[in-house]
Amino acid sequence: KEAMAAIQEIYVNELDKPEVFFDFAGTIPGYTVSGSERDSILYASAENHYAQGSYDKAAESFQHYIDKNPKGIYATKAKFLKAESLSLATRWEGALTAYEDVIKDGAGPYLASSLYKAALIAYNQREDMPRAFKYYSEYIPLAETPEQQYESTLGALRSAFKMKNAAGVIEMAEKVIDHPRTTDDIRAIAHYYTATIALEKKDPDRAIKAYNEVIRLNSAELAAEARYQISSIYESRGQTD
């Protein structure tokens, strides 16, 4: 047993050839590697690359584990660490897809983190607003910290505004405005987004109400734009503000 453990160490950790070790072990009379042992050895091989900071190799090894053990003991963890590896290697599209694979597995210890990181990549690196909005929105009720909950709500609002999702803007603007961590400057932006969407939806009264909130909260450029928009609305009606 001790001799085989030493041989395993060489094949798996030093040579990075766990499959060769399995073949070798099969030639030893009376020695077998059980299914659960194979599962653990393949996973440990991949995790070893991750621990050493060899993220490209780690991603490849985690995928090999997943291919060999799609329902293995460490399958979901392997998917998550594959995503982490790709993210650390700045392979953004691959990382986003890998986080989505974890998300598809549903509830579990890596779901919340995968939603948050998928949203960040979709918004910042891929500029994919529909995916960003989806993952920010799904993360909010699962948020791991109050700060991340706030950042995700704000991220969902910005994503909705950029893709002109009126319902999303209204929903997330209300959440941002009411959030205890929100500053007046951010509240002003949320009201401004609401007003802009209201104008696009031909709802000038709602737009005026939101623009007035911008003016109440902000004395800078955003307030000047709000005053201009209110004047334009009244002018289009043949009125003066």
Side-chain angles (χ1 to χ4, degrees):
K1 279 281 186 178
E2 290 182 6
M4 287 301 292
I7 293 170
Q8 177 184 319
E9 175 75 18
I10 292 169
Y11 274 113
V12 176
N13 294 333
E14 295 182 20
L15 300 179
D16 187 32
K17 293 183 177 180
E19 298 288 354
V20 176
F21 169 72
F22 298 148
D23 292 341
F24 171 77
T27 68
I28 306 300
Y31 187 87
T32 59
V33 180
S34 70
S36 61
E37 286 175 325
R38 283 174 177 264
D39 187 296
S40 296
I41 289 169
L42 278 179
Y43 174 79
S45 175
E47 195 173 59
N48 186 49
H49 291 302
Y50 182 81
Q52 292 177 351
S54 301
Y55 298 121
D56 286 314
K57 184 63 178 176
E60 179 184 325
S61 296
F62 283 124
Q63 185 59 53
H64 178 68
Y65 169 86
I66 294 162
D67 290 341
K68 291 287 185 179
N69 302 276
K71 296 187 182 300
I73 300 169
Y74 304 101
T76 301
K77 186 176 183 181
K79 290 177 185 178
F80 177 71
L81 288 180
K82 174 192 169 184
E84 294 281 87
S85 298
L86 291 168
S87 181
L88 288 164
T90 65
R91 293 166 58 183
W92 301 120
E93 186 57 43
L96 178 54
T97 300
Y99 283 124
E100 288 175 325
D101 286 340
V102 181
I103 293 166
K104 288 172 187 173
D105 282 349
Y110 307 104
L111 175 59
S113 186
S114 294
L115 284 168
Y116 185 64
K117 292 178 179 183
L120 289 175
I121 294 172
Y123 187 90
N124 294 302
Q125 274 75 38
R126 306 307 301 168
E127 297 185 3
D128 186 332
M129 296 306 126
R131 281 158 103 184
F133 179 76
K134 173 179 171 62
Y135 296 132
Y136 275 134
S137 299
E138 291 177 7
Y139 175 74
I140 291 168
L142 304 176
E144 296 158 299
T145 67
E147 184 61 29
Q148 286 181 346
Q149 183 195 56
Y150 169 67
E151 291 296 334
S152 293
T153 307
L154 187 56
L157 171 61
R158 288 170 170 158
S159 303
F161 184 72
K162 286 187 176 185
M163 64 180 184
K164 300 186 184 300
N165 178 341
V169 168
I170 291 167
E171 177 189 0
M172 293 302 165
E174 289 176 355
K175 289 179 183 291
V176 167
I177 290 164
D178 292 339
H179 201 285
R181 289 178 176 263
T182 303
T183 64
D184 281 348
D185 282 345
I186 296 298
R187 285 191 179 91
I189 291 171
H191 283 297
Y192 182 81
Y193 286 174
T194 300
T196 302
I197 289 294
L199 269 187
E200 291 177 357
K201 294 296 180 182
K202 311 298 184 188
D203 188 353
D205 290 333
R206 184 170 195 164
I208 289 171
K209 181 179 178 181
Y211 280 133
N212 277 323
E213 286 298 308
V214 175
I215 294 166
R216 182 179 70 82
L217 293 165
N218 183 280
S219 59
E221 185 176 337
L222 208 59
E225 174 66 17
R227 289 189 180 92
Y228 170 79
Q229 293 293 348
I230 290 172
S231 294
S232 296
I233 292 169
Y234 282 130
E235 185 177 334
S236 70
R237 292 172 166 177
Q239 300 173 308
T240 58
D241 50 346

